[in-house]
Amino acid sequence: MPRLLNTAYEPELVPGKRSALFGMAMTEKQGGSDVRAGTTAARPIGGDEYELTGHKWFCSAPMSDAFLVLARAPGGLSCFLLPRLLPDGSHNEIRIRRLKDKVGNRADASSEVEYEGARAHLVGEEGRGVRTIIEMVTRTRLDSVLGSTAGMRQATAEAAWHVRHRAAFGARLIDQPLMTQVIADLQLETEAATATSLRLARAYDEDATAEEVAFRRLATAVAKYWICKRGPGHAYEAMECLGGNGYTEAFPLGMRYREQPVMAIWEGSGNVIALDVLRALSRDPQSFEAFDAELARSAGADRRLDTHVRRTRELIGELSRDDARDARARELVTALALAVQGSLLVRAAPPSVADAFIGSRLGGDGHLYGVLPLGTDAASIAARA
Ligand SMILES: Cc1cc2nc3c(=O)[nH]c(=O)nc-3n(C[C@H](O)[C@H](O)[C@H](O)COP(=O)(O)OP(=O)(O)OC[C@H]3O[C@@H](n4cnc5c(N)ncnc54)[C@H](O)[C@@H]3O)c2cc1C
């Protein structure tokens, strides 16, 4: 733990380092969402030590000092800590077969690996691997939410800066009404994502109460689904604000556009997360109570939001009686996400921001950016970008 928490960066693979980087390896060829399909075998060799034999189809940051790995022990799928170096300083039996040629996220190497009797230590109980590793995974889901949000902020800032300095048809772009709408709308998305991701992060603080822990169970899945999915479309719209330059590598939004989708794909792709929301609602009623208590904090502040929250509660009841509920999971998660974003904005953002967000997202024609309700103070919202 001291090495893991040490923030020094020591890239060398040598014994006795002060700091350590960790990766994780769960996904196999036959299963990424369904990690229970994993076949990597773990043979006990005494104490908490095992020998791992098998492959992983995705293993990012393979230069890490150690990995959390899922493998099948005699007692079932289990979680292991797999170091790159053994105590005598020799290399553990891990082979990097190939580096992935990825659409984006290229500064982060991802690899395919094979273990040939690699030594590893059991973490948690044998047979409870998913339950053990999920504690780490929920935090990487929070990280995806924060990453998408930060990416939105970058995209909005780049777009706003460009249109403030670029003129067309005799006026600066930012002052042309249709561009003002687009920048204001990108800003609304950024503000909603920021408020939501930081509210979620608070529920992960060390002093989180039991209610906060219950809140984060459902809120992590809701935010992971919605914010990470909103990222790519947002990046594309921001890129277009830069015109042709936006589509070139001389400007930074091409990279952001390629980066955003991975936040939605890894750590549980959209459908898997949406189904996880249904699971949380049916198996963990306290998580909904805590989520609902968060929504109740804004009750009475905006009639349209109150109506949306009421409909969302009704939808939950309806789905609990619907045999085809899985097919409607995205509908429900979308409703929950917009409810919590609206609720946070009416409490934390300037009234013009909350009003435009609720007007455009809850019942407006917001299929694409730049369609804000009549009377929106777009200039003041765009100025915040
Ligand atoms: C850049 C990158 C880096 C990665 N790094 C790592 C890493 O370091 N370690 C690691 O373990 N993994 C890593 N992954 C793997 C990643 O977590 C998986 O790709 C992801 O979980 C999806 O699994 P899969 O690829 O097997 O897709 P599948 O499980 O085959 O899913 C395909 C699609 O089907 C959907 N789906 C699945 N089940 C259902 C269902 N029941 N109903 C409806 N739809 C469903 C999914 O949402 C998805 O859209 C990485 C992936 C990428 C792209």
Side-chain angles (χ1 to χ4, degrees), residues 24 26-27 32-33 58-60 102 110 262 266 269 271-272 275:
M24 57 169 150
M26 292 171 282
T27 306
S33 308
F58 273 98
C59 176
S60 292
K102 295 182 286 182
S110 299
V262 79
W266 67 16
S269 312
N271 284 354
V272 168
L275 294 171

Side-chain angles (χ1 to χ4, degrees), residues 117 194 304 345 358 372:
T194 305
R304 297 160 299 174
L345 288 182
I358 290 169
L372 295 176

Side-chain angles (χ1 to χ4, degrees), residues 167-186:
F169 304 101
R172 286 187 318 158
L173 286 171
I174 185 69
D175 297 326
Q176 309 213 22
L178 191 49
M179 185 57 95
T180 318
Q181 291 270 321
V182 172
I183 298 295
D185 211 355
L186 292 171

